[in-house]
Amino acid sequence: MTHYTVSTLNLGRFETESGEIIDPLQLRYEHVGYPGQPLVVICHALTGNHLTYGTDQEPGWWREIIDGGYLPINDYQFLTFNVIGSPFGSSSKLTDNHFPNHLTIRDIVRAIELGIEALGFTHINILIGGSLGGMQALELLYNRSFTVDKAVILAATDHTSSYSRAFNEIARQAIYLGGKEGLSIARQLGFLTYRSSKSYDERFTPDEVVSYQKYQGDKFKENFDLACYLTLLDVLDSHHIDRGRTDVDQVFRSLDTKVLTIGFIDDLLYPDDQVYRTGARFKYHRHFFVPDNVGHDGFLLNFNNWAPNLYHFLKVTKAKR
């Protein structure tokens, strides 16, 4: 029987980049696997959560990757934290009336680092993140609080693009104007950027797509907290690995971490060439381009199109420049 834990860490007083205080800092996490196995830290995307593996009754968002044999459950132990600001158990505006009004990607990564330390880990064998999770992975690598053997960054770049920020601002305005109904519209808008026009044409008729978008928006407005969504949009917009730093290339080139970047065709938010350029800043880098027409959400879907490359990268023991 695989060891499985979902719990919450109480990490005491925490000061954010803006000088605001979270007290106590609470961090919800999932750990699955056996102590002693190589540690895989997985960072989730914008509206994801800590349930990477989940249970038989409620499978996690990457269960298919693990049970599919690409990251075999008997070969690793897996750790995922729910980021602060998210409505799924960590400190957020849903749990704390005094939660900060300004939160950044660096805040959520520092909280994750405290969580990893609190659980007694000092070394990360594999670090994985897609989209907002890939941005977290970049910050973790820059901070060098832990030695990381291999890192996999999917559909993420070294800064949030102007194009992505424009959509985020429209989402904010929809929420400010329409409350929960605005949140539904924001989700529908976001969903359009997560999928390509080709995937929509293959999947829906023009009539079907209208009801599908409405369904996605209505489901989201009931399952995701409005204030938390606004917090996480700010976190997304704050991402710029070079902000206030002049040594990022020097730091990345000094790491012995082997980095794999994966980009997806028709990703409107984080195009493949930008994903590649982000990875090229590291000393040891490989890149895989996925010719799959889903778009940005490709890292959550159609695993057989790209996960074999992930499996191969994790099994390779030698790396060249």
Side-chain angles (χ1 to χ4, degrees):
M1 181 89 179
T2 301
H3 179 265
Y4 185 79
T5 302
V6 173
S7 188
T8 303
L9 297 170
N10 190 322
L11 298 171
R13 189 177 185 274
F14 180 85
E15 184 174 344
T16 67
E17 263 199 288
S18 65
E20 296 174 277
I21 303 298
I22 303 173
D23 191 8
L25 172 66
Q26 294 184 308
L27 210 54
R28 190 81 168 156
Y29 72 93
E30 175 194 66
H31 177 264
V32 58
Y34 295 99
Q37 294 286 67
L39 176 66
V40 182
V41 173
I42 301 178
C43 302
H44 70 73
L46 184 70
T47 58
N49 58 33
H50 53 291
L51 300 177
T52 299
Y53 191 69
T55 63
D56 292 339
Q57 293 72 34
E58 294 185 34
W61 54 273
W62 249 28
R63 177 85 173 233
E64 193 177 334
I65 282 278
I66 297 170
D67 281 351
Y70 300 115
L71 283 164
I73 193 70
N74 293 323
D75 291 352
Y76 304 99
Q77 56 178 318
F78 301 89
L79 178 63
T80 304
F81 292 94
N82 180 224
V83 301
I84 56 174
S86 168
F88 300 114
S90 294
S91 294
S92 71
K93 288 196 177 276
L94 191 63
T95 65
D96 182 354
N97 292 331
H98 303 288
F99 191 80
N101 292 315
H102 305 282
L103 199 69
T104 69
I105 187 84
R106 296 179 188 178
D107 293 325
I108 68 174
V109 168
R110 243 179 357 103
I112 286 171
E113 289 173 342
L114 292 173
I116 295 171
E117 290 172 3
L119 291 173
F121 295 109
T122 58
H123 180 90
I124 298 172
N125 298 95
I126 301 165
L127 175 63
I128 303 178
S131 193
L132 182 69
M135 301 171 192
Q136 295 169 56
L138 287 168
E139 285 288 338
L140 277 159
L141 289 169
Y142 175 83
N143 288 347
R144 291 155 290 167
S145 297
F146 309 93
T147 302
V148 179
D149 295 335
K150 292 187 175 182
V152 181
I153 297 165
L154 305 102
T157 56
D158 54 15
H159 68 281
T160 298
S161 67
S162 299
Y163 191 76
S164 177
R165 292 190 68 161
F167 277 105
N168 292 344
E169 181 56 29
I170 296 170
R172 277 191 200 90
Q173 292 178 31
I175 293 169
Y176 292 149
L177 288 171
K180 282 188 73 170
E181 291 307 316
L183 181 61
S184 171
I185 293 169
R187 179 59 170 178
Q188 292 178 54
L189 178 69
F191 221 82
L192 279 175
T193 68
Y194 302 152
R195 304 290 175 88
S196 70
S197 61
K198 293 174 187 174
S199 69
Y200 265 65
D201 281 341
E202 283 190 3
R203 187 171 177 184
F204 307 109
T205 67
D207 290 333
E208 289 171 343
V209 76
V210 174
S211 59
Y212 175 76
Q213 284 287 115
K214 188 72 166 58
Y215 165 76
Q216 289 292 342
D218 288 346
K219 183 174 70 169
F220 188 73
K221 76 180 182 185
E222 299 303 331
N223 296 331
F224 208 94
D225 182 75
L226 185 154
C228 290
Y229 194 65
L230 289 171
T231 295
L232 293 175
L233 287 178
D234 288 346
V235 167
L236 190 60
D237 281 357
S238 76
H239 172 59
H240 198 311
I241 196 71
D242 294 284
R243 174 171 58 87
R245 298 165 174 163
T246 58
D247 62 345
V248 175
D249 283 326
Q250 179 184 342
V251 168
F252 283 173
R253 287 282 170 180
S254 73
L255 299 176
D256 289 326
T257 305
K258 283 71 176 175
V259 176
L260 172 68
T261 49
I262 299 179
F264 296 83
I265 196 169
D266 293 328
D267 186 341
L268 297 172
L269 299 175
Y270 303 101
D272 174 74
D273 60 329
Q274 295 178 27
V275 177
Y276 171 83
R277 284 202 297 271
T278 298
R281 302 180 72 171
F282 291 90
K283 179 163 56 174
Y284 299 110
H285 173 231
R286 291 185 177 188
H287 181 75
F288 179 65
F289 169 60
V290 185
D292 179 272
N293 74 357
V294 171
H296 180 69
D297 262 2
F299 72 96
L300 296 170
L301 301 162
N302 298 356
F303 298 126
N304 290 336
N305 289 346
W306 57 266
N309 292 273
L310 168 69
Y311 177 85
H312 178 71
F313 173 74
L314 298 180
K315 291 299 180 186
V316 168
T317 57
K318 294 183 179 180
K320 297 179 180 178
R321 275 294 300 264

